Amino acid sequence: MSEGLTRDEAWKLLTEYNQDHFHLKHALTVEGVMRYFAEELGYGEEKDFWGVVGLLHDLDFEQFPEQHCIKSQEIMRERGLDEKLIHATASHGYALTVDIKPEHEMEKVLYAVDELTGLIGAVAIMRPSKSVSDLEVKSVRKKYKNAKFAAGCSREVIQRGADMLGWELNDLIDRTILAMRSCEDVYENL
């Protein structure tokens, strides 16, 4: 299935290193967004792999924040996981914690949406609906411009990700909102 790792095995690995509700919700969100983009961008046959990459991208963040995208490589190699998975997950730390550049379109998507899903999620919970179902790009852009809002979500990384993909920022935001809508219910019972 996913380069030798099933989704259930990936979840088991993730929860071995992550117990915080926020981190698990983020992992599930990015997994769903990655699966959505796999379909949308013509990689439907690889959507399970894209999903596992999204699920495991922050494997080491909760326990090893100072070694983010470094420790995860070590953990995955110790378990004999595929180098394609290791490269893909580590590449979202490019120019932050590692020099592993996103190469495949999937890696560029992960790089672009990781921080953006956090920002969009923060905007959504401020709304009466607390949902992305009625969220519009203009609402996200308004908060995007306020550097103090969701300050942990790097606007520089989001823009760099859009540039890597060759997408306008508004297009990236719009497509990511749609992707998040497609999987919004997956973590309600977390």
Side-chain angles (χ1 to χ4, degrees), residues 98-114:
V98 296
D99 61 359
I100 300 168
K101 189 171 185 175
E103 295 167 2
H104 187 280
E105 191 169 20
M106 176 258 303
E107 296 171 343
K108 294 173 184 177
V109 168
L110 176 63
Y111 190 89
V113 303
D114 178 34

Side-chain angles (χ1 to χ4, degrees), residues 58 60 94 106 125 129 138 140-141 174:
D58 279 346
D60 59 5
Y94 176 68
M106 176 258 303
I125 61 171
S129 67
K138 65 181 180 181
V140 176
R141 282 305 297 256
D174 184 48

Side-chain angles (χ1 to χ4, degrees), residues 1-189:
M1 178 194 203
S2 305
E3 301 297 320
L5 187 69
T6 67
R7 198 272 179 194
D8 287 343
E9 291 167 337
W11 177 256
K12 186 177 178 189
L13 177 60
L14 177 70
T15 57
E16 184 179 329
Y17 288 90
N18 294 268
Q19 285 80 45
D20 182 79
H21 182 268
F22 177 83
H23 292 139
L24 295 174
K25 181 178 175 182
H26 175 66
L28 290 170
T29 298
V30 177
E31 173 192 22
V33 166
M34 293 299 291
R35 290 178 65 83
Y36 174 91
F37 275 112
E39 288 283 355
E40 185 188 277
L41 298 173
Y43 298 94
E45 291 179 6
E46 297 175 33
K47 73 180 177 187
D48 292 333
F49 179 67
W50 284 48
V52 166
V53 167
L55 192 65
L56 292 178
H57 79 284
D58 279 346
L59 174 65
D60 59 5
F61 188 77
E62 188 174 316
Q63 291 188 19
F64 308 99
E66 301 302 316
Q67 297 177 57
H68 183 43
C69 297
I70 298 166
K71 189 70 174 173
S72 61
Q73 295 177 66
E74 184 181 307
I75 293 166
M76 290 183 191
R77 283 193 181 103
E78 285 172 358
R79 293 168 189 256
L81 299 183
D82 192 289
E83 284 296 322
K84 184 177 171 187
L85 174 63
I86 295 167
H87 187 280
T89 55
S91 71
H92 87 280
Y94 176 68
L96 301 167
T97 59
V98 296
D99 61 359
I100 300 168
K101 189 171 185 175
E103 295 167 2
H104 187 280
E105 191 169 20
M106 176 258 303
E107 296 171 343
K108 294 173 184 177
V109 168
L110 176 63
Y111 190 89
V113 303
D114 178 34
E115 299 284 319
L116 183 56
T117 57
L119 179 68
I120 291 171
V123 174
I125 61 171
M126 300 295 290
R127 303 177 63 75
S129 67
K130 302 208 180 304
S131 170
V132 292
S133 64
D134 59 352
L135 186 61
E136 296 180 14
V137 172
K138 65 181 180 181
S139 299
V140 176
R141 282 305 297 256
K142 185 176 178 183
K143 295 293 188 182
Y144 182 93
K145 292 175 188 171
N146 178 356
K148 292 181 180 176
F149 180 82
C153 299
S154 170
R155 277 57 166 181
E156 182 182 338
V157 168
I158 294 168
Q159 184 61 60
R160 192 182 301 138
D163 293 345
M164 282 181 190
L165 288 164
W167 299 356
E168 293 295 322
L169 182 59
N170 282 356
D171 186 38
L172 173 63
I173 293 170
D174 184 48
R175 292 166 91 166
T176 305
I177 290 170
L178 293 175
M180 289 177 72
R181 284 181 188 161
S182 78
C183 62
E184 187 169 36
D185 60 343
V186 300
Y187 46 77
E188 286 179 0
N189 297 320

